[in-house]
Amino acid sequence: LEDRFNWRYHYPYIFLNDEDFTEEFKEGIRSITESPVYFGKLPKEHWGLSPYVTEEKVKEALERNRDRYLYGGSYSYRLMCRYQSGFIYKHPLLKDLDYYWRIEPDVHYYCDLPYDPFKYMRDNKLVYGYTISPVEKPETVETFWDTTRKWILENPDYLQDKSFIHWVVNEKGRYTTCHFWSNFEIVDLSFYRSEAYESYFEHLDRAGGFFYERWGDAPVHSMAAAVLLRKEQIHWFEDIGYHHPGYSHCPKNPEMAARCVCGGGSDYMYRSMCSRRFGEVGNIFKDQVLELAALPDKK
């Protein structure tokens, strides 16, 4: 990311961890960038078991799901998903930021980016930006849509006049499991800080699905964006070639591709059902959202 983009703009890097970073790690990071770098530790009240679940039931759930799917038995993975869903934007080091770009270890950026995506987001009144949109494993989110639709019906005042919910829930009320892969996201943080999003996260946390199932921050962020935003507020950064273990994307557009160095198997987004659906469906009106949420949950 430094070589592809930030050497031009010198936006600050913020590294967060549940433990203190070593001085060796800090020195290593500072040696490869001239941008400001900040290191923070997660507040204990943000990283831990939800007050709405019990240790005994969480242990039972971890054992039950251990062999059902990836990270099925991982407690730390669930802590991470809950933190990314409802607390990262509350960290003191992020309090003065209007936008953030999430970056993770073991990712690769394939393309030079000759413009400022934060400015692009602001100038175009965009709220959420992504690169890859896969489907989630249904076993990890068995009660997620049912929990969400109950929140929608209880909180209709939080909805805009139009919503992009049809991307994540089809016309028959079935959850598509489509989501934005949130290991990359560029977000207007006023969205996560909003009363609507905070209410939604609190509702999910009370339901216990972060621990009893394996609700990830990607489905949570994506459902919130689809329900609470309009399609024109969400942007696919097609020109940002990106790899995270599991999926890769590189642009096919010749003008975009000229700035990239890509390996094989980087055409996922041009084969993705969720990408295709994103192009096919549009916004629906608020009363239609409520009608959709009132349909029985169809597994």
Side-chain angles (χ1 to χ4, degrees), residues 11-28:
Y11 282 112
Y13 292 101
I14 298 173
F15 290 83
L16 300 178
N17 197 10
D18 59 314
E19 298 181 355
D20 291 321
F21 290 102
T22 65
E23 290 303 316
E24 181 182 10
F25 179 83
K26 293 179 182 179
E27 291 173 5

PDB file of all heavy atoms in Angstrom, residues 11-28:
ATOM      1  N   TYR A  11      -0.748   9.704   4.342  1.00  0.00           N
ATOM      2  CA  TYR A  11      -1.770   9.541   5.375  1.00  0.00           C
ATOM      3  C   TYR A  11      -1.193   8.727   6.524  1.00  0.00           C
ATOM      4  O   TYR A  11      -0.329   7.865   6.321  1.00  0.00           O
ATOM      5  CB  TYR A  11      -2.994   8.825   4.807  1.00  0.00           C
ATOM      6  CG  TYR A  11      -3.893   9.722   3.984  1.00  0.00           C
ATOM      7  CD1 TYR A  11      -4.006   9.534   2.603  1.00  0.00           C
ATOM      8  CD2 TYR A  11      -4.619  10.748   4.572  1.00  0.00           C
ATOM      9  CE1 TYR A  11      -4.828  10.359   1.840  1.00  0.00           C
ATOM     10  CE2 TYR A  11      -5.445  11.574   3.820  1.00  0.00           C
ATOM     11  CZ  TYR A  11      -5.544  11.376   2.459  1.00  0.00           C
ATOM     12  OH  TYR A  11      -6.357  12.189   1.704  1.00  0.00           O
ATOM     13  N   PRO A  12      -1.647   8.955   7.746  1.00  0.00           N
ATOM     14  CA  PRO A  12      -1.090   8.216   8.890  1.00  0.00           C
ATOM     15  C   PRO A  12      -1.514   6.745   8.882  1.00  0.00           C
ATOM     16  O   PRO A  12      -2.616   6.406   8.456  1.00  0.00           O
ATOM     17  CB  PRO A  12      -1.686   8.945  10.100  1.00  0.00           C
ATOM     18  CG  PRO A  12      -2.943   9.573   9.593  1.00  0.00           C
ATOM     19  CD  PRO A  12      -2.659   9.948   8.168  1.00  0.00           C
ATOM     20  N   TYR A  13      -0.631   5.897   9.359  1.00  0.00           N
ATOM     21  CA  TYR A  13      -0.944   4.492   9.604  1.00  0.00           C
ATOM     22  C   TYR A  13      -1.239   4.317  11.089  1.00  0.00           C
ATOM     23  O   TYR A  13      -0.517   4.851  11.941  1.00  0.00           O
ATOM     24  CB  TYR A  13       0.240   3.599   9.236  1.00  0.00           C
ATOM     25  CG  TYR A  13       0.550   3.539   7.755  1.00  0.00           C
ATOM     26  CD1 TYR A  13       1.602   4.282   7.214  1.00  0.00           C
ATOM     27  CD2 TYR A  13      -0.196   2.726   6.899  1.00  0.00           C
ATOM     28  CE1 TYR A  13       1.903   4.217   5.861  1.00  0.00           C
ATOM     29  CE2 TYR A  13       0.095   2.655   5.540  1.00  0.00           C
ATOM     30  CZ  TYR A  13       1.144   3.405   5.028  1.00  0.00           C
ATOM     31  OH  TYR A  13       1.438   3.343   3.685  1.00  0.00           O
ATOM     32  N   ILE A  14      -2.264   3.545  11.388  1.00  0.00           N
ATOM     33  CA  ILE A  14      -2.606   3.246  12.777  1.00  0.00           C
ATOM     34  C   ILE A  14      -2.605   1.731  12.946  1.00  0.00           C
ATOM     35  O   ILE A  14      -3.349   1.026  12.262  1.00  0.00           O
ATOM     36  CB  ILE A  14      -3.987   3.819  13.159  1.00  0.00           C
ATOM     37  CG1 ILE A  14      -3.980   5.349  13.040  1.00  0.00           C
ATOM     38  CG2 ILE A  14      -4.373   3.389  14.571  1.00  0.00           C
ATOM     39  CD1 ILE A  14      -5.344   5.986  13.242  1.00  0.00           C
ATOM     40  N   PHE A  15      -1.770   1.240  13.828  1.00  0.00           N
ATOM     41  CA  PHE A  15      -1.693  -0.190  14.125  1.00  0.00           C
ATOM     42  C   PHE A  15      -2.317  -0.439  15.492  1.00  0.00           C
ATOM     43  O   PHE A  15      -1.958   0.210  16.479  1.00  0.00           O
ATOM     44  CB  PHE A  15      -0.232  -0.661  14.130  1.00  0.00           C
ATOM     45  CG  PHE A  15       0.403  -0.681  12.771  1.00  0.00           C
ATOM     46  CD1 PHE A  15       0.933   0.481  12.217  1.00  0.00           C
ATOM     47  CD2 PHE A  15       0.476  -1.857  12.045  1.00  0.00           C
ATOM     48  CE1 PHE A  15       1.519   0.463  10.962  1.00  0.00           C
ATOM     49  CE2 PHE A  15       1.068  -1.883  10.786  1.00  0.00           C
ATOM     50  CZ  PHE A  15       1.586  -0.720  10.239  1.00  0.00           C
ATOM     51  N   LEU A  16      -3.243  -1.397  15.539  1.00  0.00           N
ATOM     52  CA  LEU A  16      -3.921  -1.724  16.793  1.00  0.00           C
ATOM     53  C   LEU A  16      -3.726  -3.198  17.119  1.00  0.00           C
ATOM     54  O   LEU A  16      -3.711  -4.048  16.232  1.00  0.00           O
ATOM     55  CB  LEU A  16      -5.423  -1.424  16.685  1.00  0.00           C
ATOM     56  CG  LEU A  16      -5.817   0.025  16.377  1.00  0.00           C
ATOM     57  CD1 LEU A  16      -7.330   0.135  16.252  1.00  0.00           C
ATOM     58  CD2 LEU A  16      -5.294   0.969  17.449  1.00  0.00           C
ATOM     59  N   ASN A  17      -3.615  -3.490  18.404  1.00  0.00           N
ATOM     60  CA  ASN A  17      -3.426  -4.873  18.833  1.00  0.00           C
ATOM     61  C   ASN A  17      -3.962  -5.019  20.252  1.00  0.00           C
ATOM     62  O   ASN A  17      -4.072  -4.019  20.989  1.00  0.00           O
ATOM     63  CB  ASN A  17      -1.934  -5.233  18.801  1.00  0.00           C
ATOM     64  CG  ASN A  17      -1.711  -6.737  18.827  1.00  0.00           C
ATOM     65  OD1 ASN A  17      -2.645  -7.525  18.683  1.00  0.00           O
ATOM     66  ND2 ASN A  17      -0.464  -7.143  19.020  1.00  0.00           N
ATOM     67  N   ASP A  18      -4.294  -6.249  20.644  1.00  0.00           N
ATOM     68  CA  ASP A  18      -4.756  -6.474  22.019  1.00  0.00           C
ATOM     69  C   ASP A  18      -3.586  -6.589  22.985  1.00  0.00           C
ATOM     70  O   ASP A  18      -3.791  -6.630  24.197  1.00  0.00           O
ATOM     71  CB  ASP A  18      -5.645  -7.713  22.101  1.00  0.00           C
ATOM     72  CG  ASP A  18      -4.940  -8.981  21.634  1.00  0.00           C
ATOM     73  OD1 ASP A  18      -4.284  -8.940  20.580  1.00  0.00           O
ATOM     74  OD2 ASP A  18      -5.051 -10.009  22.322  1.00  0.00           O
ATOM     75  N   GLU A  19      -2.366  -6.653  22.435  1.00  0.00           N
ATOM     76  CA  GLU A  19      -1.158  -6.647  23.262  1.00  0.00           C
ATOM     77  C   GLU A  19      -0.233  -5.531  22.793  1.00  0.00           C
ATOM     78  O   GLU A  19      -0.380  -5.006  21.690  1.00  0.00           O
ATOM     79  CB  GLU A  19      -0.435  -7.997  23.161  1.00  0.00           C
ATOM     80  CG  GLU A  19      -1.257  -9.180  23.664  1.00  0.00           C
ATOM     81  CD  GLU A  19      -0.508 -10.488  23.567  1.00  0.00           C
ATOM     82  OE1 GLU A  19       0.622 -10.478  23.015  1.00  0.00           O
ATOM     83  OE2 GLU A  19      -1.035 -11.514  24.026  1.00  0.00           O
ATOM     84  N   ASP A  20       0.734  -5.163  23.628  1.00  0.00           N
ATOM     85  CA  ASP A  20       1.673  -4.106  23.256  1.00  0.00           C
ATOM     86  C   ASP A  20       2.556  -4.554  22.088  1.00  0.00           C
ATOM     87  O   ASP A  20       3.015  -5.699  22.050  1.00  0.00           O
ATOM     88  CB  ASP A  20       2.577  -3.752  24.441  1.00  0.00           C
ATOM     89  CG  ASP A  20       1.809  -3.057  25.561  1.00  0.00           C
ATOM     90  OD1 ASP A  20       0.936  -2.220  25.249  1.00  0.00           O
ATOM     91  OD2 ASP A  20       2.066  -3.380  26.741  1.00  0.00           O
ATOM     92  N   PHE A  21       2.786  -3.649  21.142  1.00  0.00           N
ATOM     93  CA  PHE A  21       3.729  -3.932  20.064  1.00  0.00           C
ATOM     94  C   PHE A  21       5.151  -3.858  20.606  1.00  0.00           C
ATOM     95  O   PHE A  21       5.459  -3.042  21.490  1.00  0.00           O
ATOM     96  CB  PHE A  21       3.564  -2.904  18.940  1.00  0.00           C
ATOM     97  CG  PHE A  21       2.286  -3.047  18.160  1.00  0.00           C
ATOM     98  CD1 PHE A  21       1.216  -2.194  18.385  1.00  0.00           C
ATOM     99  CD2 PHE A  21       2.155  -4.031  17.191  1.00  0.00           C
ATOM    100  CE1 PHE A  21       0.036  -2.317  17.665  1.00  0.00           C
ATOM    101  CE2 PHE A  21       0.981  -4.166  16.463  1.00  0.00           C
ATOM    102  CZ  PHE A  21      -0.083  -3.306  16.701  1.00  0.00           C
ATOM    103  N   THR A  22       6.025  -4.696  20.065  1.00  0.00           N
ATOM    104  CA  THR A  22       7.424  -4.643  20.479  1.00  0.00           C
ATOM    105  C   THR A  22       8.105  -3.439  19.843  1.00  0.00           C
ATOM    106  O   THR A  22       7.672  -2.938  18.795  1.00  0.00           O
ATOM    107  CB  THR A  22       8.171  -5.923  20.057  1.00  0.00           C
ATOM    108  OG1 THR A  22       8.218  -5.988  18.618  1.00  0.00           O
ATOM    109  CG2 THR A  22       7.468  -7.170  20.595  1.00  0.00           C
ATOM    110  N   GLU A  23       9.164  -2.986  20.454  1.00  0.00           N
ATOM    111  CA  GLU A  23       9.922  -1.876  19.890  1.00  0.00           C
ATOM    112  C   GLU A  23      10.531  -2.258  18.547  1.00  0.00           C
ATOM    113  O   GLU A  23      10.642  -1.433  17.636  1.00  0.00           O
ATOM    114  CB  GLU A  23      11.022  -1.440  20.865  1.00  0.00           C
ATOM    115  CG  GLU A  23      10.500  -0.753  22.114  1.00  0.00           C
ATOM    116  CD  GLU A  23       9.651   0.463  21.782  1.00  0.00           C
ATOM    117  OE1 GLU A  23      10.062   1.257  20.892  1.00  0.00           O
ATOM    118  OE2 GLU A  23       8.571   0.622  22.393  1.00  0.00           O
ATOM    119  N   GLU A  24      10.904  -3.524  18.404  1.00  0.00           N
ATOM    120  CA  GLU A  24      11.460  -3.999  17.134  1.00  0.00           C
ATOM    121  C   GLU A  24      10.430  -3.861  16.021  1.00  0.00           C
ATOM    122  O   GLU A  24      10.755  -3.431  14.905  1.00  0.00           O
ATOM    123  CB  GLU A  24      11.885  -5.456  17.279  1.00  0.00           C
ATOM    124  CG  GLU A  24      12.495  -6.036  16.009  1.00  0.00           C
ATOM    125  CD  GLU A  24      12.874  -7.504  16.164  1.00  0.00           C
ATOM    126  OE1 GLU A  24      12.495  -8.112  17.187  1.00  0.00           O
ATOM    127  OE2 GLU A  24      13.523  -8.036  15.246  1.00  0.00           O
ATOM    128  N   PHE A  25       9.181  -4.216  16.306  1.00  0.00           N
ATOM    129  CA  PHE A  25       8.122  -4.090  15.306  1.00  0.00           C
ATOM    130  C   PHE A  25       7.900  -2.625  14.947  1.00  0.00           C
ATOM    131  O   PHE A  25       7.805  -2.269  13.765  1.00  0.00           O
ATOM    132  CB  PHE A  25       6.826  -4.696  15.845  1.00  0.00           C
ATOM    133  CG  PHE A  25       5.661  -4.588  14.894  1.00  0.00           C
ATOM    134  CD1 PHE A  25       5.484  -5.511  13.880  1.00  0.00           C
ATOM    135  CD2 PHE A  25       4.742  -3.544  15.014  1.00  0.00           C
ATOM    136  CE1 PHE A  25       4.409  -5.409  13.000  1.00  0.00           C
ATOM    137  CE2 PHE A  25       3.673  -3.428  14.133  1.00  0.00           C
ATOM    138  CZ  PHE A  25       3.507  -4.361  13.129  1.00  0.00           C
ATOM    139  N   LYS A  26       7.851  -1.771  15.948  1.00  0.00           N
ATOM    140  CA  LYS A  26       7.633  -0.342  15.697  1.00  0.00           C
ATOM    141  C   LYS A  26       8.741   0.252  14.840  1.00  0.00           C
ATOM    142  O   LYS A  26       8.484   0.997  13.886  1.00  0.00           O
ATOM    143  CB  LYS A  26       7.536   0.410  17.030  1.00  0.00           C
ATOM    144  CG  LYS A  26       6.314   0.067  17.868  1.00  0.00           C
ATOM    145  CD  LYS A  26       6.351   0.851  19.180  1.00  0.00           C
ATOM    146  CE  LYS A  26       5.194   0.522  20.072  1.00  0.00           C
ATOM    147  NZ  LYS A  26       5.231   1.268  21.360  1.00  0.00           N
ATOM    148  N   GLU A  27       9.976  -0.085  15.184  1.00  0.00           N
ATOM    149  CA  GLU A  27      11.112   0.436  14.418  1.00  0.00           C
ATOM    150  C   GLU A  27      11.087  -0.075  12.981  1.00  0.00           C
ATOM    151  O   GLU A  27      11.410   0.663  12.038  1.00  0.00           O
ATOM    152  CB  GLU A  27      12.419   0.041  15.105  1.00  0.00           C
ATOM    153  CG  GLU A  27      12.644   0.748  16.437  1.00  0.00           C
ATOM    154  CD  GLU A  27      13.860   0.211  17.180  1.00  0.00           C
ATOM    155  OE1 GLU A  27      14.570  -0.651  16.599  1.00  0.00           O
ATOM    156  OE2 GLU A  27      14.090   0.637  18.330  1.00  0.00           O
ATOM    157  N   GLY A  28      10.701  -1.342  12.806  1.00  0.00           N
ATOM    158  CA  GLY A  28      10.636  -1.903  11.467  1.00  0.00           C
ATOM    159  C   GLY A  28       9.612  -1.198  10.597  1.00  0.00           C
ATOM    160  O   GLY A  28       9.862  -0.911   9.422  1.00  0.00           O
TER     161      GLY A  28
END
